[in-house]
Amino acid sequence: MLEKSADSPYFYDLPEDEAEFLRALLTGNEAGDYCVKRSYILWDGRRIVAAEGALAPFLENIVKAEYKKRRVIIEKKIFGSVKRLKLCIYDRKDCEAEHLPIPALQTDRKPFEWKAGEYVELWSEAYEGKALKIARVDEHRRKVYVEVELFGTTTELEVEEEEIKTKRSEE
């Protein structure tokens, strides 16, 4: 819950994680001016695989990429609720057209290896020892949706890639 700062009736204190998010987006100069600069991206024709600039720490938060408009939309919890933010991007073609140096950007991101129909085991104690079937994947957001039985019906559970312990054979 956001609360008004005791120092001012017009500003709110932010939780540290939200304040850190805003600091990560902004770049400043000696005069105290701040802005969000566009981010250089590498993309494989389908999705962004690496970025430099404000977007770099938030690749998993991308919900939409509009390459022709040179922007991406990310979702992030801020000011107490999930907000959508638009960030400007540019790539190698833009550097060549604008006669800018091309940043040396490498990707150390491992390929997304999960596919619908495979079985996985999660780190969660609630599902320990159970093989769960992947119903669908969102490769861009690096998420999988596994089928779980809940109250007698099968439903999908959204799972972060890091929550997957291992692949399993069907049981």
Side-chain angles (χ1 to χ4, degrees):
M1 180 79 183
L2 294 175
E3 299 199 14
K4 287 187 180 178
S5 171
D7 300 334
S8 171
Y10 302 106
F11 294 97
Y12 288 89
D13 288 331
L14 288 176
E16 187 55 36
D17 61 328
E18 293 181 17
E20 195 58 41
F21 166 70
L22 291 175
R23 282 188 211 105
L25 283 180
L26 300 173
T27 56
N29 61 20
E30 298 82 30
D33 298 324
Y34 291 89
C35 70
V36 178
K37 293 188 176 179
R38 62 185 179 161
S39 299
Y40 180 78
I41 61 159
L42 284 179
W43 67 297
D44 63 5
R46 295 181 318 141
R47 63 185 176 92
I48 296 172
V49 294
E52 179 180 272
L55 180 61
F58 308 110
L59 292 178
E60 284 77 30
N61 298 93
I62 296 172
V63 293
K64 187 174 184 181
E66 299 174 326
Y67 298 108
K68 290 183 181 178
K69 293 182 179 182
R70 300 293 192 258
R71 67 182 180 199
V72 295
I73 299 171
I74 64 171
E75 279 186 349
K76 190 74 174 149
K77 183 178 179 187
I78 189 158
F79 304 120
S81 62
V82 175
K83 306 283 187 202
R84 286 190 166 207
L85 300 150
K86 294 177 186 176
L87 299 176
C88 296
I89 57 173
Y90 70 109
D91 62 8
R92 173 181 282 278
K93 291 178 185 177
D94 298 314
C95 289
E96 291 167 355
E98 298 172 26
H99 306 292
L100 297 172
I102 298 171
L105 185 60
Q106 301 295 322
T107 179
D108 58 350
R109 197 173 191 191
K110 65 178 185 169
F112 189 79
E113 60 185 86
W114 312 107
K115 294 177 179 47
E118 293 180 331
Y119 286 81
V120 294
E121 183 178 344
L122 305 180
W123 286 105
S124 170
E125 290 181 19
Y127 300 103
E128 190 172 352
K130 295 181 182 173
L132 301 172
K133 184 178 181 181
I134 297 176
R136 61 188 174 97
V137 298
D138 185 343
E139 189 174 336
H140 186 72
R141 294 177 64 205
R142 299 182 76 88
K143 295 187 183 214
V144 299
Y145 297 84
V146 295
E147 294 177 347
V148 294
E149 185 148 333
L150 209 60
F151 307 114
T153 61
T154 302
T155 187
E156 290 182 0
L157 174 68
E158 181 181 291
V159 177
E160 301 280 341
E161 184 178 24
E162 295 80 29
E163 295 175 58
I164 299 174
K165 187 174 186 178
T166 183
K167 283 186 185 181
R168 296 271 307 261
S169 59
E170 183 180 352
E171 290 184 351

